[in-house]
Amino acid sequence: MASPDETIRICIQMLQNISEDSTIPRNIRRVADATKTVLQDESRSIGLRAATAISMIDEISNDPNMPVHARTRIWELVSQLETVPLD
């Protein structure tokens, strides 16, 4: 299993891919970009960053305009973030 830091790095890369995908609606790409910024903020604990990112992503996960491939990526991202310990 990957370390929490490695998991965050993987998630940042996944968010980067989502935010660069022109087939995904702009509002979802904006949230992906904002979530990436939250994950990169090292002034917060790693658990808090992961929990905040999950919360932000959860808001867009049910967007009816989201393509199926993007929804699958979002679920994969949330699954990765849920492995980061909160302490």
Side-chain angles (χ1 to χ4, degrees), residues 28-70:
I28 295 168
R29 289 185 287 159
R30 270 194 220 113
V31 172
D33 218 25
T35 304
K36 185 175 71 167
T37 302
V38 166
L39 288 177
Q40 292 172 329
D41 180 8
E42 294 192 8
S43 68
R44 298 178 176 186
S45 73
I46 197 162
L48 179 59
R49 287 186 277 161
T52 303
I54 290 170
S55 176
M56 292 173 75
I57 292 167
D58 190 49
E59 291 177 23
I60 61 164
S61 66
N62 294 318
D63 188 318
N65 296 320
M66 185 182 302
V68 175
H69 74 279

